[in-house]
Amino acid sequence: MPAALEFLLWCVALATWLMLLCGLVSERLKRLSKLFSHLREIAFRHRVK
């Protein structure tokens, strides 16, 4: 297999893994953000009362 083709395949594989990782991290950060906003809402609600 030519070296250029092998390099291209490695780049495609790396890009695929990076996209999957970024999607997973993004999903986790959304959940974490929702949790923090919910906790902040609860904390301020108790201060007002």
Side-chain angles (χ1 to χ4, degrees):
M1 185 181 304
L5 183 58
E6 187 175 350
F7 178 75
L8 182 64
L9 288 174
W10 275 107
C11 288
V12 169
L14 180 62
T16 303
W17 280 108
L18 286 175
M19 287 192 314
L20 289 172
L21 180 64
C22 287
L24 186 68
V25 168
S26 171
E27 189 64 34
R28 298 292 180 188
L29 286 176
K30 284 181 192 175
R31 290 181 186 172
L32 192 60
S33 175
K34 287 180 184 178
L35 176 65
F36 280 139
S37 65
H38 182 68
L39 291 175
R40 188 176 61 223
E41 179 183 323
I42 290 172
F44 285 127
R45 188 182 318 149
H46 287 301
R47 286 185 182 176
V48 170
K49 289 182 180 180

